[in-house]
Amino acid sequence: TTPATPGTYTDAQLRSFVTASAEIDPLNRQLATATGEQRTAIVGQIRASLERNAIDSATYNAIASQAQTDTALAARIAALRSPTTAPQGQ
């Protein structure tokens, strides 16, 4: 699958990215010290997270890469990560 054109990510794609990255980032950190068998299991968990969050790896990686240099995209992602709703119970 071809990732979306840079700068054309929908809010739905970015929400999927944010949710998936919360699961994937810790797994990526484990890859550096994992054994071969552990790496296979971690890669499976990453794939499952992408599937669960309805985002393909090409789009996920493209968003991650672009967000490192595109401040507008990084700001959109940060806004989606931050709770913007009123505290519950009010």
Side-chain angles (χ1 to χ4, degrees):
T1 321
T2 307
T5 305
T8 63
Y9 300 110
T10 65
D11 285 348
Q13 285 174 308
L14 295 180
R15 278 192 291 277
S16 292
F17 172 82
V18 166
T19 305
S21 69
E23 298 172 10
I24 291 171
D25 288 348
L27 295 171
N28 278 336
R29 286 192 287 278
Q30 293 174 24
L31 281 173
T33 57
T35 65
E37 188 174 305
Q38 290 169 329
R39 289 175 75 83
T40 301
I42 291 168
V43 168
Q45 290 175 308
I46 290 171
R47 283 190 186 123
S49 176
L50 291 171
E51 190 173 307
R52 214 176 16 260
N53 291 292
I55 187 168
D56 61 87
S57 62
T59 301
Y60 179 89
N61 290 330
I63 292 171
S65 178
Q66 185 178 340
Q68 293 177 9
T69 57
D70 183 335
T71 55
L73 179 62
R76 284 178 68 196
I77 291 168
L80 290 169
R81 281 193 173 122
S82 301
T84 55
T85 56
Q88 291 186 1
Q90 287 189 353

